[in-house]
Every structure is written in C-alpha cells, then in structure tokens.
Amino acid sequence: LDDRGKPVPLGQEGELAATGPTVFTGYYNAEEANRKSFTREGYFRSGDLARVNARGNFTITGRTKDLINRGGEKISAEEVEEMLVTMEGVASVAAVSMPDPRMGEKVCVFIKIKRNARGKFDVESVTAHMKTLGASVLLLPERVEMIEDIPLTPIGKIDKKVLRKRVADKMEKEAKG
C-alpha cells in the first residue's frame, strides 16, 4: 500500500498488508491501535516495506517506521546506518528522525565509537565519509549525537523510539536556551 492506503503497482515499494485465516483480527480492547494497524477492509498493516514481482513473489525491503520523511522525501534509516558503520572508529550507529518545523523531519545519527577510536565524529566528518561512498544529499544527517550505549528493546533491537525522544527533548531544551 502507498501512504494513502492504496495498492501500489507491481515492482513498486509499498507497505505489506495482509488478511486471511492466519492473520490476527485485532488487538483486544484497543480501538486506537486497531485503527492504526488495520485498513478499513480489515487488512493488517505489517509495517514492512515490500515489492511484489510479476510472478507474485514478495521481497521485504525495509520498515515503514524506519523511514525519515524529510520534506516529503522518504529516507531509509538503514541505508544511512549501512554507510556510517563503515566509517573507521564507529562501533555502531542508529539513524532516526528528528523534528523540523520546515521540513517535518530531518536525519539525526547516534554514533557509538570503538574504544580508543581517533578522529572526529561530527556532522562534517560524517557527511564527508558518506559522500565518498556516493551518498545523495538527501541521506546526509543534519545532526550527530555521540552515545556511550545504543538503547535496545527487550528483544535486542535498537530502540529508536527512545532515541527519537532523546533528540527531540535535547532540541527542545536547546531552543529554550
């Protein structure tokens, strides 16, 4: 499905939605969650991005929640992370959206550096590294935050919700002076 919940043409990326006997029918006593998670026709919105080829085979290409919407352009957080993890001295990285009054969202990266790593890890050095890898201007982060430990969910995935809140709170505090 596209952003408006309409089916996309074959080969085009969209959100995978499914229904059938093996797909659950809703969250118990959670009307708001069900409204967000299901289409009007009862299809479950998986949050996965996928493409379908002419033979009907699906390829999962990413996650809807891992996209940064910068002025209407969708930026893959995973693509940003894959580039930055190749930067010398970077142990791990997480790219998240940060609020922006004009563009809606912009790219912020949280970087955990390796012990004894040398060099600079600021916006200029990060964007220079990404440019050497052929990154489009759209992928370049506008903010870099150093972090000692990247927060994880109980199942071991990067907790981007915590990071988005952390950068939003920090920006709010900076705005107040």
Side-chain angles (χ1 to χ4, degrees):
L1 305 174
D2 64 17
D3 290 342
R4 296 178 308 276
K6 304 291 181 201
V8 297
L10 281 179
Q12 186 175 324
E13 186 177 72
E15 183 180 10
L16 180 63
T19 191
T22 60
V23 178
F24 81 113
T25 56
Y27 297 102
Y28 178 72
N29 237 0
E31 211 171 299
E32 182 62 26
N34 287 328
R35 213 176 357 269
K36 288 179 181 176
S37 300
F38 289 86
T39 67
R40 289 182 187 194
E41 296 80 20
Y43 284 78
F44 173 64
R45 301 177 71 104
S46 69
D48 291 317
L49 292 174
R51 281 192 182 88
V52 182
N53 67 19
R55 296 176 72 189
N57 296 321
F58 288 81
T59 301
I60 304 297
T61 57
R63 296 279 301 156
T64 59
K65 293 182 175 103
D66 223 5
L67 291 178
I68 299 161
N69 187 349
R70 185 181 191 278
E73 294 287 340
K74 304 295 191 288
I75 300 163
S76 166
E78 184 178 5
E79 192 174 350
V80 173
E81 293 162 354
E82 285 173 359
M83 289 182 161
L84 288 178
V85 80
T86 66
M87 189 173 178
E88 190 173 334
V90 171
S92 57
V93 62
V96 298
S97 63
M98 64 179 182
D100 183 76
R102 194 170 65 85
M103 300 301 284
E105 296 177 340
K106 286 187 176 179
V107 180
C108 173
V109 292
F110 285 86
I111 296 176
K112 176 182 177 181
I113 61 170
K114 294 177 182 173
R115 189 181 318 171
N116 301 323
R118 293 188 210 154
K120 293 176 85 175
F121 299 93
D122 56 14
V123 172
E124 292 77 23
S125 60
V126 165
T127 57
H129 174 76
M130 291 178 71
K131 286 178 182 177
T132 66
L133 298 175
S136 74
V137 173
L138 234 119
L139 295 176
L140 303 177
E142 282 90 0
R143 186 176 185 117
V144 174
E145 293 286 330
M146 304 309 294
I147 194 165
E148 288 195 29
D149 287 303
I150 298 212
L152 302 176
T153 66
I155 59 169
K157 291 185 176 185
I158 294 174
D159 197 337
K160 293 195 173 186
K161 188 176 182 181
V162 167
L163 294 174
R164 281 190 292 272
K165 181 168 177 15
R166 186 175 295 178
V167 71
D169 289 350
K170 191 169 185 180
M171 291 172 69
E172 185 178 322
K173 194 174 184 178
E174 290 169 355
K176 289 180 181 176

